[in-house]
DNA sequence: CGCCAGGGCTCAG
DNA sequence: CTGAGCCATGGC
């Protein structure tokens, strides 16, 4: 076992691991105390979170475990995890600069004050794509369960510290899984979407490389080559995997916020409403603002 | 029973 | 391009 720690004080703007990993951005982390998404217990702020990474590329998964305690990000893993954590949790993002770019109206101030240190994640493309295809009309907790079921059923296992972990399945494996097998895991009508999108990735007919590097609007369009991906899911994958921090996914919570706080941004179509709220949220880092608002509103209700 | 959950697909107009 | 209907599943 390797281990290490990163001083939170070295990170511009700090970090809030719990808010980052329990805000419905990444569905590949698990709280080791089994209380993911439950109300903050006394130890909630320093719980261990674990994930198995790398399995979706066909190699043996590596396990990474992290917790935030006493001003440190402590980790234990099957490999050196310093740089991996910096990448996955975007620890190099300059949060004060990002907050400067986000307007400080009533809602945004409340949301960023409540979860200061929450960071937008940077997940690998395929697991992120599948997660958000599964997210359609689903609660966050169930999206998480569905990804766990996919990994348990089709992912490579790895034992670490006496515990068994499952990496995310490869595109080939999910493409080979029949629609019926996926439905059996509770994916419902999303099952054929996942299967067909996995096929596209496995065959190379549509991949992340077709999207990476495009201007935001073109990238959102290109994402819809995948099955089960419309404007909203496209925005999620663009932000949480491909680094488009200006993307503002219009989900039910944000639409409610628009109705209550920004009615002038309601323009009828997704594209125009998204454009308006992106400007309202300061443009460049509007997705960061959206992520804070989503987590804030969802936890407040 | 009904409603809702981080929507997308298909088919009419 | 826009809108309705449909799509599974589980919690409340």
């Amino acid at each position: 076992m390797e281990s290490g720690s990163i001083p939170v004080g070295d990170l511009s703007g700090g970090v809030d691991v719990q808010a980052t990993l329990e805000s419905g951005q990444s569905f590949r982390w698990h709280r080791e105390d089994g209380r993911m998404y439950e109300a903050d217990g006394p130890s909630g702020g320093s719980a261990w979170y674990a994930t198995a990474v790398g399995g979706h590329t066909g190699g043996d998964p590596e396990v990474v475990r992290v917790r935030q305690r006493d001003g440190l990000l402590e980790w234990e893993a099957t490999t050196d995890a310093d740089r991996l954590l910096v990448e996955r949790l975007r620890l190099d993002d300059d949060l004060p600069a990002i907050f400067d770019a986000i307007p400080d109206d009533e809602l945004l101030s409340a949301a960023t004050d409540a979860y200061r240190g929450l960071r937008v994640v940077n997940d690998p493309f395929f697991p992120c794509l599948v997660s958000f295809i599964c997210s359609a009309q689903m609660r966050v907790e169930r999206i998480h369960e569905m990804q766990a079921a996919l990994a348990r059923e089709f992912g490579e296992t790895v034992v670490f510290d006496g515990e068994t972990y499952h990496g995310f399945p490869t595109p080939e494996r999910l493409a080979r899984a029949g629609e019926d097998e996926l439905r059996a895991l509770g994916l419902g009508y999303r099952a054929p979407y996942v299967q067909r999108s996995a096929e596209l990735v496995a065959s190379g007919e549509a991949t992340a490389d077709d999207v990476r590097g495009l201007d935001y609007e073109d990238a959102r369009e290109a994402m819809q080559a995948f099955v089960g991906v419309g404007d909203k899911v496209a925005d999620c994958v663009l932000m949480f995997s491909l680094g488009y921090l200006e993307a503002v996914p219009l989900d039910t919570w944000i639409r409610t916020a628009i109705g209550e706080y920004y009615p002038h941004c309601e323009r009828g179509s997704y594209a125009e409403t998204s454009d308006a709220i992106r400007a309202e949220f300061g443009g460049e880092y509007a997705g960061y603002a959206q992520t804070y608002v989503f987590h804030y509103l969802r936890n407040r209700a």
Side-chain angles (χ1 to χ4, degrees):
Chain A
M1 177 192 297
E2 298 196 35
S3 63
S5 63
I6 302 171
V8 173
D10 289 357
L11 310 174
S12 184
V15 67
D16 182 336
V17 169
Q18 179 175 18
T20 301
L21 297 182
E22 299 197 33
S23 52
Q25 307 180 57
S26 174
F27 298 95
R28 287 290 301 143
W29 289 85
H30 304 270
R31 228 169 94 172
E32 301 267 53
D33 63 8
R35 306 196 57 180
M36 193 84 170
Y37 305 123
E38 289 184 23
D40 298 8
S43 64
S46 61
W48 283 105
Y49 295 85
T51 186
V53 306
H56 63 99
T57 59
D60 287 333
E62 304 279 359
V63 177
V64 179
R65 185 187 280 165
V66 63
R67 74 169 164 184
Q68 178 170 7
R69 198 181 63 151
D70 298 336
L72 292 175
L73 228 56
E74 302 175 332
W75 60 261
E76 301 173 347
T78 52
T79 182
D80 184 2
D82 260 319
R83 200 174 60 168
L84 183 139
L85 284 170
V86 170
E87 286 180 9
R88 294 297 176 88
L89 306 184
R90 297 192 68 102
L91 300 179
D92 281 339
D93 281 355
D94 184 350
L95 288 183
I98 289 170
F99 292 142
D100 278 347
I102 297 175
D104 53 355
D105 65 36
E106 181 189 343
L107 178 60
L108 291 172
S109 297
T112 53
D113 284 349
Y115 295 106
R116 199 155 290 263
L118 184 163
R119 285 165 186 271
V120 166
V121 302
N122 177 26
D123 262 2
F125 183 79
F126 185 63
C128 183
L129 174 67
V130 171
S131 295
F132 282 100
I133 289 173
C134 289
S135 76
Q137 295 292 108
M138 272 298 141
R139 297 173 195 280
V140 167
E141 291 80 356
R142 285 201 59 211
I143 302 166
H144 192 260
E145 289 170 12
M146 291 160 84
Q147 307 318 302
L150 287 171
R152 192 170 55 242
E153 200 70 19
F154 303 116
E156 292 298 316
T157 65
V158 54
V159 176
F160 172 64
D161 197 23
E163 296 286 322
T164 299
Y165 297 86
H166 303 272
F168 198 77
T170 61
E172 291 75 14
R173 186 67 190 88
L174 286 189
R176 189 152 37 89
E179 177 182 332
D180 292 342
E181 274 188 282
L182 297 177
R183 280 184 185 271
L185 297 182
L187 298 204
Y189 61 81
R190 306 153 197 80
Y193 300 166
V194 169
Q195 194 275 334
R196 291 172 63 193
S197 282
E199 241 170 23
L200 291 173
V201 175
S203 70
E205 195 173 335
T207 71
D209 289 335
D210 301 333
V211 180
R212 236 184 282 273
L214 296 178
D215 288 341
Y216 166 64
E217 303 275 358
D218 294 334
R220 193 175 65 193
E221 183 65 29
M223 276 302 303
Q224 298 179 42
F226 297 98
V227 185
V229 177
D231 284 319
K232 189 270 172 185
V233 169
D235 271 331
C236 288
V237 178
L238 288 179
M239 172 157 55
F240 300 131
S241 178
L242 297 180
Y244 289 81
L245 300 182
E246 69 268 51
V248 179
L250 299 184
D251 56 68
T252 53
W253 290 95
I254 295 302
R255 285 183 184 278
T256 299
I258 290 173
E260 282 186 32
Y261 296 86
Y262 315 100
H264 55 284
C265 290
E266 182 49 64
R267 306 289 169 86
S269 76
Y270 185 101
E272 292 194 34
T273 302
S274 168
D275 224 36
I277 196 67
R278 187 172 315 111
E280 187 77 25
F281 282 0
E284 187 176 4
Y285 298 113
Y288 247 101
Q290 187 272 1
T291 303
Y292 272 88
V293 167
F294 176 81
H295 189 51
Y296 176 70
L297 292 178
R298 212 173 70 83
N299 272 44
R300 205 183 41 157

